[in-house]
């Protein structure tokens, strides 16, 4: 899909596996106008997605793939998403862990990338799958992700997407550096909208797929773990969210996850 998708290599893991950024942009702007003799072009908001930071949470990567694949194919129900935004996507932030089905990356010992960010990092989880590495941003994947986040500071929002081990939607709000109460309120409202949009799928037959979403009531948490991607988003940008979507659901988890991501976009805008 050369007219819609571009692919750029961001770097490699310790095992030499490549990490890619995918940009999805239809080139169709939501509105155009003229002011005198000058054409006014309206810039589309940029939404950024980090998928698959934990290898054993495949719904994030595969569900994200399905959502954007259907956008590429021009599925009518996704046309509003296709043309309204520019998307920057890291489809698999931990490819070695994904291939091995592990939480951590391909290092020895494995490092939990979501404990390895340079944001209130602390030595933790030694000897477990939650090991945060010997030092902050010690892993090449983490370094790539941090650089990518900094390069996308102009994004409307950055979402760190996970597959939850709980049967509920959870949105962690990153606002560590925000002291403006109105802005905090706006972030909380947006998070509530995300939850409400995903809850609309609860117990309802999804017409496009004929399956049910059996997630429980979602909730919002304003705490991000030390060394996590969410904590880094809070420290660096104050405009990020960590999204946890259920794994214990009926039907095709990967297909449903793509529906959930679509609902998240609805909740954002």
């Amino acid at each position: 899909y050369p007219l819609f998708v571009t692919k750029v290599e961001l770097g490699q893991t310790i095992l030499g596996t490549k990490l890619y950024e995918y940009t999805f942009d239809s080139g169709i702007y939501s509105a155009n106008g003229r002011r005198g003799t000058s054409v006014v072009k309206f810039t589309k908001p940029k939404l950024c997605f980090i998928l698959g930071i934990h290898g054993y949470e495949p719904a994030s990567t595969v569900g994200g793939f399905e959502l954007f694949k259907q956008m590429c194919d021009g599925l009518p129900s996704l046309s509003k998403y296709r043309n309204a935004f520019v998307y920057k996507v890291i489809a698999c932030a931990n490819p070695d862990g994904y291939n091995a089905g592990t939480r951590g990356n391909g290092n020895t010992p494995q490092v939990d990338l979501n404990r390895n960010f340079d944001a209130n990092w602390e030595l933790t989880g030694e000897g477990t799958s939650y090991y945060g590495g010997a030092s902050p941003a010690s892993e090449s994947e983490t370094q790539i992700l941090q650089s990518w986040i900094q390069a996308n500071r102009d994004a409307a929002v950055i979402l760190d997407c996970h597959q939850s081990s709980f049967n509920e939607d959870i949105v962690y709000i990153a606002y560590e550096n925000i002291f403006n109460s109105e802005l905090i309120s706006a972030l909380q409202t947006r998070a509530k909208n995300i939850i409400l949009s995903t809850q609309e799928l609860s117990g309802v037959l999804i017409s496009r797929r004929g399956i049910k979403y059996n997630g429980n009531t979602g909730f919002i948490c304003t705490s991000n773990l030390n060394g996590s991607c969410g904590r880094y988003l809070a420290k660096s940008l104050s405009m990020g969210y960590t999204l946890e979507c259920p794994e214990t659901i009926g039907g095709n988890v990967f297909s449903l996850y793509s529906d959930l991501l679509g609902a998240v976009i609805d909740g954002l805008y």
Side-chain angles (χ1 to χ4, degrees), residues 64-86:
F65 170 84
E66 181 158 339
L67 173 69
F68 289 103
K69 175 67 164 57
Q70 290 175 340
M71 277 195 202
C72 290
D73 290 338
L75 191 70
S77 61
L78 296 177
S79 61
K80 62 179 179 180
Y81 304 141
R82 176 186 173 102
N83 298 327
F85 308 101
V86 174

Side-chain angles (χ1 to χ4, degrees), residues 5 24 33 47 58 62 66 93 95 102 104 107-110 138 150 162 166 176 185 206 223 242 253:
V5 187
F24 300 84
L47 305 184
V62 180
E66 181 158 339
T102 59
N107 206 346
T108 304
Q110 293 179 5
S138 60
Q150 294 300 326
H162 293 253
F166 308 100
E176 181 175 275
S185 177
I206 301 172
S223 172
T242 295
V253 63

Side-chain angles (χ1 to χ4, degrees), residues 160-238:
D160 167 34
C161 300
H162 293 253
Q163 177 183 327
S164 175
S165 57
F166 308 100
N167 192 24
E168 52 208 350
D169 302 320
I170 310 170
V171 177
Y172 296 89
I173 308 174
Y175 66 72
E176 181 175 275
N177 290 345
I178 296 179
F179 302 100
N180 182 317
S181 60
E182 291 184 3
L183 188 51
I184 290 175
S185 177
L187 285 173
Q188 290 174 327
T189 298
R190 179 183 271 183
K192 290 177 183 177
N193 287 340
I194 292 173
I195 289 293
L196 291 173
S197 292
T198 57
Q199 284 177 1
E200 287 180 4
L201 299 175
S202 183
V204 178
L205 284 172
I206 301 172
S207 60
R208 198 162 83 227
R209 307 190 188 284
I211 58 177
K212 290 184 179 181
Y213 167 44
N214 300 313
N216 293 330
T217 300
F219 65 92
I220 301 163
C221 179
T222 57
S223 172
N224 288 279
L225 293 167
N226 288 338
S228 67
C229 181
R231 177 69 74 182
Y232 186 80
L233 289 172
K235 180 179 178 181
S236 304
L237 305 174
S238 303

